[in-house]
Amino acid sequence: MKEMGFMPFSVVGVFLVVLVLGMAGHSAWARHQRATETIGGSEASELRKIMEEVQANLRSALKRSVQRALVDVCEGAQDFNDDERRTEIEIAAANNFSDEISALADAYSANDGRVRVEISAERPIVWISETENGFAVANGMMPRNSHLILKSLNNSLETECSLGLVRTFVDSRYFLLQDRMNDFIENKGTVNDVWGVMEYLRGWGEAWVGGHVHLDNKIDRALFQAAWSVHEYSSFGSCDYWGAALDLADAAKDVLAGKVVVSPIDGSDVAEMKKFVGGSLDEVAGAEKNLDNVLIVLREAGDALLENLPFENFRRILSDAAENIAGAILKIGKAEEKFSALLGYVLKKSDNDVMMYSIFDGLTGRLLDNDLPSPKEQVGWCVQGIRDALSEIENEIENLSGEAMECAENILGAIRGKIENLRATPVATGQVVLESYDEGSLEKTENLVPVYVTENSGKTISSVKNVFDGLAQNLDELLRLPEKMGIKENVEIPGLDGILREKLTADPLEINFDRENFYKILPPTPISENPGISVYHELDIENVKHERGDITGRLGLSEATPIPLPFLNITIYWGQWKTTVCLGDSVEEVLDFENPTALVQSNLGQIHGPLAYRWEIPDNKFGVEVVVLSLRPFRIG
């Protein structure tokens, strides 16, 4: 029976079959679609990785190219100024980069069919710039129309991109090495200054301690090396302490260790000594004025006698004379006290000052000649003799006051004569011969030094004044000599701190191989961590010359030139010489110890090591002049 709206089971079955088949087909298509998308995505990701790898390889190639150029050009850094050197590095780096990218393209072509690097015939351009802490940044512009083409393995996916700017960090501090070397070369005159101080210290030490300054080429070479190292240290924060230690002699080590102290006469000490002498002279001048007053009073007393004035007037006039005599005695005593204070001052200073010790010996002993009394003896004899003479005159005046008037005129005349004798110009009772040299004629001369005061003669106001005047003159000369000859006080070696001193005075390493090549493999640890630069030098000291400048030296004698100061009773011994170091072609090299990243050639082949910045120094001369003043005789040679 048929009814409207009812579907037979057969039709329903067919419909269900079609629906199931459709769903199955759609599911299969969806699975296929997903598989296709997965394969495509995987290949694209792989191509992106390859692209990143190629770009990384290009950066590595640029870095190697620049580092090779740095190594090659810095081997002869002295051949260029800074701009020329950078241009030379960039040209060399561009050539290296051209070879590197060509080799890279060939390697990919031969080993990976997915990658094709197309490089045009033009050459790349490379330039470098400075970045923080003296490192370099390398920039490489690929040749125009250079492309990177990538294909998937099944050729279903292909991509192409242009190759342009490549930029990478170069971990070698080229710009730092360059700047530090420029500073070193521009200021290498500092070597002369430091070396001069070292030679000065050695000269003073040997003259005062041993009495013999050795003009020894070995020691001079060692001190020059040490001065060179001090300049390296100030420029680079380190020095070639292994190399310098090889040449340091024992005498040089004493200088560097601070065992030599220069102690020329201190200007302030001389000024203080002059104050004491000046004080004595003032007292003597006061005593002279007293005696002038006595002579005036004696004339007035004589006039009183002629005018037959009352005896009381005569006594009053003579009392003025007695007061002036007492004043003269007091002032002469004070002059001696101030001289004794001078001796005390010099003695106190002589405890740790060899110059002052020698001056004290001169003031109190007979250093120049046994027939020339010391200043202490002369002042003592004079003061005692003057005091005795004035006391005698004082007694005569007192006695004269009570004597008969008819005898007074003769007595006044005798007193006047005694006072005039005390004021008389001193007369030499003998002389001593002191040898010296004339700077103009370079001839040996004999200075005749008169002796005015002995134990038995010359005890006058004029004589003691002559002693003090002579002391003042000699002190002035003692003050002028160091300034005239450029003597330095309180000398210390500039730039030599405790760490550097320890490095230079340490026992040297036993190095029986090429130090320069060894440093490229194992450079010495820098003294200062900042900036962390190792240093190598090879100084070709061809010869050392010495030339004497003092008079006896110019005459060919080994003794220092004597300069006698007879009133101080001492002799200053003057030695002067110039030392010249003739430097042949030499090498100064700094290495970037903190960054052993450059590919360098060594005896072991190519290895990674620090970038070396090498500067060849042409022939050069360095010279220093040393002046030594000693109160002890010494030889030079």
Side-chain angles (χ1 to χ4, degrees), residues 268-377:
S268 61
D269 285 339
V270 176
E272 196 65 27
M273 292 163 67
K274 284 187 64 180
K275 286 182 183 178
F276 288 115
V277 174
S280 294
L281 280 170
D282 290 342
E283 296 297 343
V284 170
E288 285 183 313
K289 186 170 182 59
N290 284 128
L291 295 185
D292 287 339
N293 291 337
V294 171
L295 291 176
I296 294 172
V297 170
L298 291 179
R299 282 196 295 271
E300 292 176 356
D303 293 340
L305 289 176
L306 293 175
E307 296 174 7
N308 293 318
L309 294 177
F311 183 70
E312 289 300 322
N313 290 354
F314 183 71
R315 289 187 61 183
R316 187 171 61 254
I317 293 172
L318 287 183
S319 67
D320 289 341
E323 287 179 7
N324 276 286
I325 291 292
I329 293 173
L330 179 64
K331 289 181 175 64
I332 286 297
K334 287 184 177 180
E336 184 180 33
E337 287 175 8
K338 292 181 179 180
F339 178 74
S340 296
L342 166 67
L343 295 180
Y345 176 81
V346 176
L347 179 61
K348 182 178 179 181
K349 286 284 185 175
S350 67
D351 287 344
N352 53 8
D353 189 324
V354 291
M355 274 281 197
M356 296 295 276
Y357 183 84
S358 297
I359 290 173
F360 182 80
D361 279 353
L363 291 172
T364 58
R366 300 190 178 193
L367 297 187
L368 292 182
D369 191 286
N370 198 48
D371 292 330
L372 181 61
S374 70
K376 180 181 180 182
E377 289 176 305

Side-chain angles (χ1 to χ4, degrees), residues 498-516:
I499 298 175
L500 180 57
R501 180 182 287 113
E502 181 181 336
K503 288 287 187 181
L504 292 178
T505 55
D507 292 333
L509 288 177
E510 293 293 335
I511 299 178
N512 300 315
F513 41 78
D514 186 333
R515 262 190 321 115
E516 185 173 11

